[in-house]
Amino acid sequence: MQTFFNTVNGQPVASPSTFESKNPATGETLGLVPHSTRDQVVAALAAARAAQPAWAARPDSERKSLLLEVARVIKDQAGYLAEWVTREQGKPLGGVGPDQVPGAHFELWGCEVWTQVPASLDLPVEVAFEDDARRDEVHRKPYGVIAAIAPWNWPLLIAIWQIVPALRAGNTAVIKPSEYTSIGTLELVRLIAGVLPPGVLNTVSGGGEVGAWLVDTPEVDKILFTGSGATGARIAATAAKHLTPATMELGGNDAAIVLPDADPKAIAMGLFWGAFINMGQTCACAKRLYVPDSLHDAIVSELAQLAAAMPMGDGLQPGVAMGPMQNRMQFDKVSRLVERARADGATIVCGGEPPGGPGHFYPLTLVTGIADGAALVDEEQFGPVLPVIRYRDVEDAIANANRLDVGLGASVWSSDIEKAKAVAQRLAAGTVWINQHGMVHPMVPFGGAKGSGWGVEFGVEGLKSMTRPQVISVKKN
Ligand code: NAD
């Protein structure tokens, strides 16, 4: 059994104990992951601290070209890393392009693009004010050392979303992957750290306790966290002790609202992937679908046909469109929500009966005859189950979409863009997509409203969030 290593100060680091990483499609053990000790977390932060001044002092053009080199390494190693994503996370290998299943190759392509884009962005000095008496410039300074904590659903892509803009802005970083999907990230960092100065990018690995050690220290200048709201709240409480700023990308329960003038056939594919990409285990998936009475049956039938056409299995096998769920905890949550809906009288249009066997396979499931207030509607299912809620009056759909204490994304589907925009403006969500859902872009800021998080990632706004402003104010004669 292969044991994997953390990377600290450019060197492989083993730990006194390890834990197993398992394939969610087969249950097989894939490898052993070091369980970082508290001293090793301190050492990783010290390496990042030592490397930071020289990294920040490099000309911007050098950091840019080193990160473009990182993008090249990701591209060269995409096949190897995509296989790790599939083995460990479960999503099928899939492909890249409009007709391809968005799986592990798509994730690696995203890693490459989300490295190239921040590498190519600049944060020029802004003049906030100028008159005859004074000139006030806003310069952008790195925070220093960044602690990043990532989830298991898009393990490599989310790691890249955290790491690359942080480094681009002159910070150094220590990242902890999810304990469910560590190997892919440890391998990614091992490979890309090879083109970076030692200490600029480091890893630690383990469960929540290692994450807690990583953030409970004045040695961290900014925290980047992507994961559940419950963990986010715990990290925020720790951050408060040290007054450490944090970007929080937390859970959501995105509503998709179909307007009566939408064409069910035209929107079905977009709705399907909006809800079921990565088996619904995506922060900004459509998790509640509101449809008008007039279109209900047509939309449910289109979605059920698409669900039936998607082969599910071990994502390393050719032709597989849907993999297993990533872990038993998530599988159990989805099972519980569906069983409760069934017991309360909802209709399970398709799915709802897991096949059993060694993997965490749960069929694509559509649930109708369900309303707001049901647990499957109100709780984030984070799995391959979509509740379809009928509405008569769009005002009710809007009010229900805004009912919950989260607001990551939302979408509106219509043949009339202006009508859709008018609804979009009334939805309490960080992003509202029109005739698409979850289509994040490296140039476009992404972040949550309400309990879905603090701050944004991506684009110029995301890069700015990796810096603190410093004003240089000059008195003129
Ligand atoms: P999680 O909160 O259980 O774990 C996330 C990470 O936090 C893991 O690395 C874990 O080890 C670590 N952790 C756990 N307890 C900790 C603690 N006390 N201190 C520090 N670190 C700790 O989340 P998950 O189950 O991995 O991910 C699923 C959740 O993440 C869903 O709610 C989903 O919506 C959300 N998510 C949000 C986004 C986004 O961008 N908004 C993206 C992906 C996932």
Side-chain angles (χ1 to χ4, degrees), residues 326-411:
Q326 205 285 322
N327 57 70
R328 187 50 60 170
M329 173 191 70
Q330 203 56 45
F331 177 96
D332 288 343
K333 179 174 191 196
V334 162
S335 305
R336 173 178 63 77
L337 289 171
V338 172
E339 285 322 307
R340 186 150 160 210
R342 195 196 308 267
D344 289 343
T347 303
I348 313 299
V349 176
C350 59
E353 302 283 350
H360 310 311
F361 290 100
Y362 197 97
L364 303 183
T365 303
L366 288 167
V367 179
T368 59
I370 192 161
D372 277 76
L376 178 58
V377 178
D378 287 10
E379 287 180 34
E380 184 191 33
Q381 69 276 47
F382 215 63
V385 180
L386 183 65
V388 185
I389 305 138
R390 283 175 181 268
Y391 74 82
R392 273 213 190 103
D393 184 343
V394 73
E395 291 299 321
D396 294 337
I398 294 169
N400 282 328
N402 288 338
R403 263 179 64 239
L404 302 178
D405 57 6
V406 286
L408 188 57
S411 59

Side-chain angles (χ1 to χ4, degrees), residues 149-153 158 176-179 206-208 211-212 225-228 231 234-235 249-252 283 287 329 380 382 408 446:
I149 298 179
W152 45 260
N153 56 343
I158 290 176
K176 189 196 87 63
S178 166
E179 57 274 38
F225 174 69
T226 301
S228 65
T231 305
R234 261 178 241 126
I235 291 175
E249 296 289 356
L250 308 177
C283 48
K287 292 169 180 155
M329 173 191 70
E380 184 191 33
F382 215 63
L408 188 57
F446 174 67

